[in-house]
Amino acid sequence: MAHLLNRSLHDRYPHAVRAEGVYLYDEQGRRYLDGSSGAGVSCLGHGNPEVLEAMREQGNRVAFASSVFFATDIAEALADDLVRHAPAGMAYASFGCSGSEQVENAMKLARQYHVDTGAPSRRYIIGRRQSYHGMSLATLNAGGHAQRRALYEPMFAGTYLTEPHFAYRYRRPDETADGYSLRAADALEETILQLGPGQVAAFLCEPVVGATTGCVPGSPVYFQRVREICDRYNVLLIFDEIFCGMGRTGTLYAAEQDGVVPDMFVLAKGLAGGYQPMSALLINARIHAGVRDGRGYIANGHTYMNHPVGCAAALKVQEIMRRDGLVARARARGHYLRGRLEAVFGDHPHVGDIRGRGLMQALELVQDRPRKTPFPPELALWSKVMQAALERGLMCYPNQGTADGQQGDHVILAPPYIVSEADCDEMVAILADALDAVLPARDAAAVNAAR
Ligand SMILES: Cc1ncc(COP(=O)(O)O)c(C=O)c1O
């Protein structure tokens, strides 16, 4: 009797029956070190009693009150909390359940803002190749994850992709780091001009790209130029910090490290740490004023908007992160993890690049290191790494299409912020062992020699 529609219709998944701290346990009693926080979610680790208690308390008071009829104290408190700790300029917040839902809300709000302020021709959203913004039709289309998009391409309209910022793959040998950043940013201007400057509503991007290319940061030079271009053409700037936000990179917002404030932030995973499905949209006063003085209401809404129990979970997660200094801890542990990755994989013949910020680190796997040649996609190396790591008791987050959307593999490590240095050591050791197991045998010898 198995009626649950799992992701794979062939494989049998272990059942997670218990979770505590940085570990999950299956029905056989096997223990898994959560080296990826699921997919960048469980920032506080599992089973935090204070968060569970806050949810229970809120559930006893009001578990659900439709946002059509009511506001709640808890949703107001969470909005106040987020705005108070957000980069200057952010002024209002609303809450939903998934990242995709919230990115799509941001895209729709960008369109509404322009219509409400007298520019109804602005309809295009520009995203970037090799980025990811969600699995709804509109967010898939605004993202550049080629494999996830492929099935649905015939259903897409209204968004366009520009260049990513991906120095390992696209910086020319004769270019400085800043020179490359400026060239990548100027591609946005070209795309805006191609579409017609009066037609573009917003530019959407991840300050540190997560799933698609594996922890690829922008740079202050890149984002400052992007901000200038957006301002020049009255294009709204939306930062998708669903993965990289809420402390994951060692600052509460990843964009703080680039010194740029967007018009909207989208948050999710680390917001409520997986205790509830929660996402947030933060907007600045300019967007709020445009809509307030336009039609006066948000022409978009979802049933579970501002869900009280979700808000209670998120508020408690944020309070604990502050009280326990977990963002600084993510920064320190990220530094340690990066050091371990460099020590173990720095000379590895099949690790082309080690990159990331804070506790969002990745290895890009290559067949030929000097030439940066990816492994053939048919090998499905990413999936073999995931399986081999899982068999050895480690959850990591590999993906494919890293190099150009089709080819290439990377592995993300993004553990909970409560992770210890010993946990980091264990994670890296298991990953090294898993890589040995899946790389061709002749290469394993070279790997061992390099270690
Ligand atoms: C950067 C980014 N944007 C959007 C999403 C989509 O979020 P969700 O899966 O909650 O819809 C994800 C999920 O991995 C993400 O990492």
Side-chain angles (χ1 to χ4, degrees), residues 165 177-178 181-182 207 217-225 257-258 260 357:
H165 182 279
D178 288 353
S181 287
L182 291 174
S219 74
V221 168
Y222 172 78
F223 280 114
Q224 283 162 26
R225 176 68 72 101
Q257 294 175 49
D258 299 307
V260 169
R357 283 185 186 167

Short mmCIF file of all heavy atoms in Angstrom, two decimals, residues 165 177-178 181-182 207 217-225 257-258 260 357:
data_model
loop_
_atom_site.label_atom_id
_atom_site.label_comp_id
_atom_site.label_asym_id
_atom_site.label_seq_id
_atom_site.Cartn_x
_atom_site.Cartn_y
_atom_site.Cartn_z
N HIS A 165 26.68 36.06 -13.79
CA HIS A 165 28.01 36.48 -13.32
C HIS A 165 28.67 35.21 -12.82
O HIS A 165 28.33 34.70 -11.75
CB HIS A 165 27.88 37.51 -12.19
CG HIS A 165 29.21 38.01 -11.70
ND1 HIS A 165 29.98 37.30 -10.80
CD2 HIS A 165 29.90 39.13 -11.99
CE1 HIS A 165 31.10 37.98 -10.56
NE2 HIS A 165 31.07 39.09 -11.27
N ALA A 177 39.28 40.79 -12.51
CA ALA A 177 38.02 40.38 -11.88
C ALA A 177 36.97 41.49 -12.03
O ALA A 177 35.81 41.23 -12.38
CB ALA A 177 38.27 40.07 -10.41
N ASP A 178 37.38 42.74 -11.80
CA ASP A 178 36.42 43.84 -11.91
C ASP A 178 36.00 44.07 -13.36
O ASP A 178 34.83 44.38 -13.64
CB ASP A 178 37.03 45.13 -11.34
CG ASP A 178 37.12 45.08 -9.81
OD1 ASP A 178 36.58 44.12 -9.22
OD2 ASP A 178 37.73 45.99 -9.23
N SER A 181 33.39 41.63 -14.08
CA SER A 181 32.13 41.98 -13.40
C SER A 181 31.39 43.07 -14.17
O SER A 181 30.17 43.01 -14.34
CB SER A 181 32.39 42.47 -11.98
OG SER A 181 32.75 41.38 -11.16
N LEU A 182 32.13 44.06 -14.65
CA LEU A 182 31.48 45.15 -15.39
C LEU A 182 30.92 44.64 -16.72
O LEU A 182 29.81 45.02 -17.12
CB LEU A 182 32.48 46.29 -15.62
CG LEU A 182 32.89 47.04 -14.35
CD1 LEU A 182 33.98 48.06 -14.64
CD2 LEU A 182 31.68 47.75 -13.70
N PRO A 207 21.72 36.89 -5.51
CA PRO A 207 23.04 37.45 -5.16
C PRO A 207 24.13 36.37 -5.07
O PRO A 207 25.27 36.62 -5.46
CB PRO A 207 22.80 38.12 -3.81
CG PRO A 207 21.37 38.54 -3.89
CD PRO A 207 20.68 37.40 -4.62
N PRO A 217 28.91 33.49 -6.27
CA PRO A 217 28.58 34.85 -5.84
C PRO A 217 28.74 35.85 -6.98
O PRO A 217 29.47 35.59 -7.94
CB PRO A 217 29.60 35.15 -4.75
CG PRO A 217 30.70 34.15 -4.92
CD PRO A 217 30.26 33.09 -5.87
N GLY A 218 28.08 37.00 -6.83
CA GLY A 218 28.38 38.13 -7.71
C GLY A 218 29.58 38.84 -7.11
O GLY A 218 30.45 38.20 -6.51
N SER A 219 29.64 40.15 -7.28
CA SER A 219 30.70 40.93 -6.63
C SER A 219 30.14 42.32 -6.41
O SER A 219 29.18 42.72 -7.08
CB SER A 219 31.94 41.00 -7.53
OG SER A 219 31.70 41.87 -8.61
N PRO A 220 30.75 43.10 -5.49
CA PRO A 220 30.25 44.46 -5.28
C PRO A 220 30.27 45.26 -6.58
O PRO A 220 29.32 46.00 -6.87
CB PRO A 220 31.24 45.03 -4.25
CG PRO A 220 31.71 43.83 -3.48
CD PRO A 220 31.77 42.72 -4.49
N VAL A 221 31.33 45.12 -7.37
CA VAL A 221 31.42 45.87 -8.62
C VAL A 221 30.26 45.50 -9.55
O VAL A 221 29.60 46.36 -10.16
CB VAL A 221 32.78 45.61 -9.31
CG1 VAL A 221 32.80 46.12 -10.74
CG2 VAL A 221 33.90 46.24 -8.50
N TYR A 222 29.98 44.21 -9.63
CA TYR A 222 28.90 43.74 -10.50
C TYR A 222 27.56 44.30 -10.04
O TYR A 222 26.82 44.90 -10.82
CB TYR A 222 28.87 42.21 -10.48
CG TYR A 222 27.67 41.61 -11.19
CD1 TYR A 222 27.63 41.54 -12.58
CD2 TYR A 222 26.58 41.13 -10.47
CE1 TYR A 222 26.53 41.00 -13.23
CE2 TYR A 222 25.48 40.59 -11.12
CZ TYR A 222 25.46 40.53 -12.49
OH TYR A 222 24.36 40.01 -13.14
N PHE A 223 27.26 44.12 -8.75
CA PHE A 223 25.93 44.51 -8.30
C PHE A 223 25.74 46.03 -8.25
O PHE A 223 24.64 46.53 -8.47
CB PHE A 223 25.59 43.84 -6.97
CG PHE A 223 25.13 42.43 -7.16
CD1 PHE A 223 25.88 41.36 -6.70
CD2 PHE A 223 23.96 42.16 -7.85
CE1 PHE A 223 25.46 40.05 -6.91
CE2 PHE A 223 23.53 40.85 -8.06
CZ PHE A 223 24.29 39.79 -7.59
N GLN A 224 26.83 46.75 -7.98
CA GLN A 224 26.68 48.21 -7.98
C GLN A 224 26.39 48.70 -9.40
O GLN A 224 25.55 49.58 -9.61
CB GLN A 224 27.90 48.87 -7.35
CG GLN A 224 27.81 48.73 -5.82
CD GLN A 224 29.10 48.94 -5.08
OE1 GLN A 224 29.99 49.63 -5.54
NE2 GLN A 224 29.20 48.33 -3.91
N ARG A 225 27.03 48.09 -10.40
CA ARG A 225 26.72 48.48 -11.78
C ARG A 225 25.29 48.06 -12.15
O ARG A 225 24.57 48.80 -12.81
CB ARG A 225 27.75 47.84 -12.73
CG ARG A 225 27.49 48.08 -14.21
CD ARG A 225 27.68 49.54 -14.63
NE ARG A 225 29.07 49.93 -14.65
CZ ARG A 225 29.84 50.04 -15.72
NH1 ARG A 225 29.35 49.83 -16.90
NH2 ARG A 225 31.10 50.37 -15.62
N GLN A 257 26.95 42.01 1.56
CA GLN A 257 28.38 41.90 1.23
C GLN A 257 28.72 42.56 -0.10
O GLN A 257 29.88 42.74 -0.43
CB GLN A 257 28.79 40.42 1.23
CG GLN A 257 28.69 39.83 2.62
CD GLN A 257 28.96 38.33 2.68
OE1 GLN A 257 29.95 37.85 2.15
NE2 GLN A 257 28.08 37.61 3.34
N ASP A 258 27.69 42.90 -0.87
CA ASP A 258 27.92 43.60 -2.15
C ASP A 258 27.59 45.08 -2.04
O ASP A 258 27.78 45.82 -3.01
CB ASP A 258 27.08 42.95 -3.25
CG ASP A 258 27.48 41.49 -3.43
OD1 ASP A 258 28.67 41.24 -3.63
OD2 ASP A 258 26.59 40.62 -3.33
N VAL A 260 24.70 46.60 -1.93
CA VAL A 260 23.62 47.04 -2.81
C VAL A 260 22.28 46.64 -2.20
O VAL A 260 22.14 45.53 -1.68
CB VAL A 260 23.77 46.40 -4.21
CG1 VAL A 260 22.53 46.60 -5.05
CG2 VAL A 260 24.98 47.01 -4.91
N ARG A 357 30.07 31.37 -0.17
CA ARG A 357 30.20 32.31 0.94
C ARG A 357 29.57 31.69 2.16
O ARG A 357 28.49 31.09 2.06
CB ARG A 357 29.44 33.61 0.64
CG ARG A 357 30.12 34.54 -0.32
CD ARG A 357 29.30 35.83 -0.42
NE ARG A 357 29.83 36.72 -1.44
CZ ARG A 357 29.16 37.77 -1.90
NH1 ARG A 357 27.96 38.07 -1.43
NH2 ARG A 357 29.69 38.54 -2.82
#
